[in-house]
Amino acid sequence: MTQNRYLTDAIPSPCYVCDEALLERNLKLMQRVQQESGADIILALKGFSMWSTFPLVREYLQGCTASSVWEAKLAAFEFGREVHAYAPGYKAKEIDELLPLVNHISFNSLGQWQRYREQVAAAGVSAGLRVNPEHQEAETELYDPSAPGSRLGIRAADLADADLTSIEGLHVHNLCECDSYALERTLQAVESKFGQLLKQMKWLNLGGGHLMTREGYDVEHLIAQLKRLRETYDLQVILEPGSAVAWQTGPLIAEVVDIVENDGPIAILDISATAHMPDVLEMPYRPTITDAKEPGVLAHTYKLGGNSCLAGDVIGLYSFAEPLQPGSRIIFEDMMHYTMVKTTFFNGVEHPSIGILRRDGRFDLVRSFTYEDFRNRLS
């Protein structure tokens, strides 16, 4: 990224900016994976649901996966291709709403599937079960579906005597921003525990966490794994990445509001870690800032803090070549995935606008937020 590309008067602060050219770059790589492996890639809305980009995304991906009725509606009404659904549990009224919208639905337990199996069959929707390979690859426990005691997925031992008549697929998800070698190890566990079942299935959904658009990812190895799996079991293989679609496709633009002193200078920004990029606190991770480095490397070091009353609303220590002052712009890179989908109106802090930097260099402000948006969240 270059600084000047995003520092333009056309872009307000705060603002999430999706760079259309970078998004299409990722989509073209995914198109290649689909063409060479025979697998299908769908968009996981839980990671990226910026529906103003859907006209571009649907040129390359086969559909969306939804974790709720509302996400399924977004997929059906705004994306308009295949809709796959999985949730830890469904209420009866949710099934009534989902079945007219979806092509595939995966259940988290035998009990849920048995409760709704006749209804699903009557709707002509392909039914699957989420299974737990009991194989861990995610580095952070918060994001590890295969951690001991997980509520997500059915273990092989619990399927031993089950009647799976009319189950057409299995759903596996245990990765989080992982490489293709983590997928290979996962597939070894899946085939060891569920290999006989795979021979009976029409499809296998490998979930998300396949960070194929990250620099250094072995795409050839991924393609080989998917192709082998598809040919060995004569299956439709489905991947549903969220982060990989929007990886490195645009920043969050922020602005310094004030500088305060307490054992060093603290820059108060017009954004909030807890409200606008919560993975900074949850994961946790350190965002990359354009033209900033580790503390002490450049001449001026600041602690960057959010504009909420949460004491821990702190992004971290960064150094800059020039001193910051009110009005200075900060570019937080790679802020398209798992940010907008998690934002809140905590404290009534101004919610960042949403825009698209078009391939021809034009900036389109597609959404700004108002007091009424804040008010209407509650009653």
Side-chain angles (χ1 to χ4, degrees), residues 8 79 112 170 180 231 234 239 253 268 274 299 310 331 341 343 351:
T8 166
F79 200 96
Q112 281 259 300
L170 298 180
S180 62
E231 293 175 350
D234 190 23
L239 283 73
I253 305 298
I268 306 298
T274 187
L310 178 68
I331 301 174
V341 294
T343 58
H351 193 290

Side-chain angles (χ1 to χ4, degrees), residues 265-326:
I266 303 171
I268 306 298
L269 307 182
D270 61 353
I271 54 92
S272 161
T274 187
H276 305 140
M277 40 184 179
D279 277 355
V280 170
L281 304 182
E282 290 180 5
M283 191 79 168
Y285 86 105
R286 177 183 172 85
T288 298
I289 296 176
T290 300
D291 294 333
K293 297 189 181 297
E294 295 292 322
V297 174
L298 300 177
H300 304 276
T301 295
Y302 296 84
K303 180 187 289 185
L304 301 183
N307 205 11
S308 80
C309 69
L310 178 68
D313 191 357
V314 173
I315 298 146
L317 287 164
Y318 294 81
S319 66
F320 300 83
E322 301 295 332
L324 299 180
Q325 57 189 359

Side-chain angles (χ1 to χ4, degrees), residues 19 25 52 71 76 93 155 160 249 375:
D19 192 319
R25 175 202 62 188
S52 54
E71 281 191 350
K93 67 177 183 179
R155 295 172 299 177
T249 59
R375 181 197 64 191

Side-chain angles (χ1 to χ4, degrees), residues 78-92:
E78 303 297 338
F79 200 96
R81 299 193 71 182
E82 286 190 11
V83 182
H84 298 223
Y86 162 79
Y90 298 110
K91 297 179 181 179

Side-chain angles (χ1 to χ4, degrees), residues 232-276:
T232 299
Y233 297 98
D234 190 23
L235 286 165
Q236 177 193 18
V237 177
I238 305 159
L239 283 73
E240 45 180 50
S243 293
V245 174
W247 186 258
Q248 294 287 355
T249 59
L252 171 59
I253 305 298
E255 189 172 289
V256 176
V257 176
D258 193 18
I259 306 291
V260 300
E261 289 283 340
N262 189 342
D263 292 330
I266 303 171
I268 306 298
L269 307 182
D270 61 353
I271 54 92
S272 161
T274 187
H276 305 140

